[in-house]
Amino acid sequence: MNYNWHWLIFWEASPDGQGTYLDTLLNGLQWTLVTALSAAIAAFVLGSIIGVMRTLPSRTLSRISMAYIELFRNVPLLVQMFLWYFVLPEFLPWGLGEDMKRLLPPWGSLVPAVLCLSFFTSARVAEQVRAGIDSLSKGQKLAGLALGLNLRQTYQYVLLPLVYRIILPTLTSELMNVIKNSSVALTIGLIELTAAAHAMQEFSFQVFEAFTAATLIYIIINIVVVIVMRFLEKRVAVPGFIGTKREAVITS
Amino acid sequence: MAMIDIQHISKWYGSFQALRDCSTKVEKGEVLVICGPSGCGKSTLIKTVNGLEPIQEGEILVNGISLTSPKTNLPQLRAHVGMVFQHFELFPHLSVRENLTLAQVKVLKRSKAEAGEKGLQYLERVGLLEQKDKFPGQLSGGQQQRVAIARALSMDPICMLFDEPTSALDPEMISEVLDVMVKLAQEGMTMMVVTHEMGFARKVAHRVIFMDQGRIIEDLPKEDFFGKPHTERAQQFLDKILVH
Amino acid sequence: MYDFDFDVIWRSLGYLFRDGMTFTLMLTTCAMVGGIILGTLLAMMRLSSYRFFSAPAGLYVNMTRAIPLLLVIFWCYFLLPYICGYVFHELYKISPKPIGDLLIRIFGYQVQDGTPLRIGAFTSSVITFILFQAAYYCEIMRAGIQSVSQGQMGASYALGLNYWQTMFHIILPQAFRNMLPVLLTQTIILFQDTSLVYVLSITDFLGAASKVAQRDGRLVEMYVFVALIYFVICLFLSYLVRCLQSRIAIIR
């Protein structure tokens, strides 16, 4: 193959002024993790609320939640990213839009990226929470109510603790997804891991080395996430409860 | 005043009428057994008594409190009406002890210690004290149902509702649950029991209701029901289940 | 308030759909067909009892699912020319005349120099999406094959059919039928994901809209319009999948 291998490139100075090429990649990794983890936390909270809303007796709340889920699931992530970055600032009141446009890098792209990924992922979490609640027997809810717990308490103490245990494997893959999806933020100028590898390739022409490194880092993140979630699954496992015994999703 | 007073209630699921103008009363200390073919509405009827199934017509009074009035605090009322389900419905993520104390603490606002003491006291009464730290999934069906009864009793209920408490159990476990229920009846607990266990009915019931197609078609003292039911439909049903 | 100009959409409608949407749909269709075929083969390999087959397939699927699609797009875009150049060069060494003529006729490519092969944007993205989606289709087909009872396999062998006959006539038809809704849902995701070829400056639906948006300075109108079109199409498609799902549920 007509290719000049040069694996020591990582220890050479990068023209972006961040130190070596390795530093460039690690900086990218840092922004990948910051973006993905903030979005994951927001999506978990928001998704739980929307998902629970979908199962409430109120028709209106259930419809609102359904519309929310459909809206964020049926528009490509990249298009949503553009909407948050280019379109939203035009419509924010009180000059907030101008403030958003004036944010310095990386904040100017980080804020819309986190917002975008949070809403996008929350719709998917909501769907899983909804499916989890539906999968429980109706008797659990009735038993909670029959003991005199009100609806909020029944969700808080009976339904949700069960649902989170049941959907932990799918939440694991959702966490992986949000980490992978954060790469889409490179289109609005966030130098996260994939963008950093791309930049390294442009400066140094060492395509193969740059992308191999990025790939390895993603795989390592993946393994770490799986190990952490396995540990969590063991921690919350309940003896004799089927929901937690399901085979964990290895990598997805 | 009757403990449970059901007055002309009707209920529809969409266009299907599940209950048709049902009325009955349960006095304090009385044991009422409800039987009938599957789909006759007996489970629906018992679930209306603590408002788990809302009704469209009629009125239900429990200890003089109206279930249909919007002013009634349903959770408070339910806290004093014990219910036992066909499929136990213990909370699988909570230990036996936590199952017994959750509602005592959250609804009755008892202290953890008080709730624990009360719970264990009833757990001992159903003979499962040594299982207090296990999880529901580690118990047999019969044991789970006894825990469920203890869970309901630890709320100090004024009456107990049983919705086919033994029909999801393996035959060899039925008697351990029935024994607990018989003891409870003999102690004077007000009970409404949906069951096919006619042996239990003969032993402790005061009255028996027979339902068919959403209607109460027999409401007789036990002796009359087993001696000579008024309707042919009830006679056929009895013949079928007593043949064995 | 923002000053809307919807005329820009009207003016560029032909370009958006004739050039952009056509590319998007072609790419989606090719990637779906190729992805399902490759994915099914991978699934059969993963389920094989020979580690020689199952291990590499498992590695490929897990690795592909661990890294972001954008990284795969970059990988393929930068490295396919090298890899193809290398492969064709090796082939050329085996039999120079026919291979050389063929390559000149198809790609206009002088293999003798051993330079990287220039692949068109369309071919490159089709290959990318087939390779990437195959990993996801593989997991669906694996679940599908496992959903067919073991007895079917036994019955088929008992009738004297061999492995390939059993697979093609007995197992795979049932697996496809069971998994059809999931395969189609994955295809809707693929349809949305194709918008990511934007990073290669390809004129897909989003790329076309983006070019018009930049040229006329009408980002808000164009991106909102794109989002709307994607939303309508995906909502309609997922509605169809749901109808199909309930029909399959009735048949079973």
Side-chain angles (χ1 to χ4, degrees), chain C residues 2-191:
Chain C
Y2 188 83
D3 181 19
F4 282 101
D5 170 20
F6 288 110
D7 195 45
V8 65
I9 298 170
W10 186 246
R11 273 181 278 132
S12 53
L13 223 48
Y15 176 61
L16 285 181
F17 283 93
R18 209 172 330 108
D19 293 24
M21 192 50 97
T22 310
F23 183 96
T24 297
L25 291 178
M26 289 258 292
L27 178 55
T28 306
T29 315
C30 295
M32 175 185 75
V33 173
I36 290 182
I37 294 171
L38 182 58
T40 307
L41 287 174
L42 280 170
M44 286 159 64
M45 283 174 71
R46 282 205 77 171
L47 290 169
S48 163
S49 43
Y50 300 107
R51 284 197 63 78
F52 178 73
F53 289 118
S54 63
L59 189 69
Y60 174 80
V61 169
N62 283 334
M63 261 182 60
T64 310
R65 287 163 62 97
I67 61 177
L69 175 54
L70 274 181
L71 191 57
V72 179
I73 291 178
F74 286 145
W75 261 118
C76 290
Y77 183 71
F78 290 106
L79 286 165
L80 272 180
Y82 282 103
I83 295 169
C84 292
Y86 173 76
V87 170
F88 288 140
H89 194 69
E90 293 299 306
L91 285 174
Y92 178 76
K93 275 194 261 175
I94 302 167
S95 75
K97 186 80 179 101
I99 299 278
D101 286 354
L102 199 70
L103 287 175
I104 288 175
R105 195 167 304 157
I106 300 176
F107 300 107
Y109 170 64
Q110 289 284 350
V111 78
Q112 289 92 325
D113 352 339
T115 47
L117 171 65
R118 291 209 149 277
I119 310 176
F122 181 73
T123 320
S124 169
S125 21
V126 167
I127 295 173
T128 309
F129 276 89
I130 289 179
L131 290 179
F132 185 76
Q133 288 294 326
Y136 290 82
Y137 283 126
C138 164
E139 291 304 90
I140 298 170
M141 283 314 293
R142 186 164 71 126
I145 293 171
Q146 284 175 324
S147 76
V148 180
S149 80
Q150 278 283 306
Q152 293 283 312
M153 198 101 183
S156 176
Y157 281 143
L159 286 169
L161 279 76
N162 65 27
Y163 174 79
W164 291 100
Q165 290 168 325
T166 302
M167 269 296 163
F168 275 99
H169 297 296
I170 312 294
I171 307 293
L172 288 182
Q174 297 186 58
F176 269 115
R177 200 198 55 199
N178 294 351
M179 286 294 134
L180 195 57
V182 194
L183 287 169
L184 292 176
T185 305
Q186 182 62 35
T187 305
I188 298 176
I189 295 172
L190 162 67
F191 173 66

Side-chain angles (χ1 to χ4, degrees), chain A residues 50 72 76 128 152 204 218 226 229 239 242:
Chain A
I50 302 289
F72 287 102
Q128 289 163 11
R152 186 186 62 75
S204 68
Y218 276 114
V226 169
M229 294 304 257
I242 311 292

Side-chain angles (χ1 to χ4, degrees), chain A residues 70 73-74, chain C residues 185 188 231-246:
Chain A
E70 294 295 348
R73 280 204 333 172
N74 286 314
Chain C
T185 305
I188 298 176
F231 179 73
V232 170
I233 295 177
C234 295
L235 195 66
F236 177 67
L237 290 178
S238 48
Y239 169 75
L240 287 187
V241 172
R242 237 170 290 159
C243 290
L244 182 81
Q245 203 160 19
S246 51

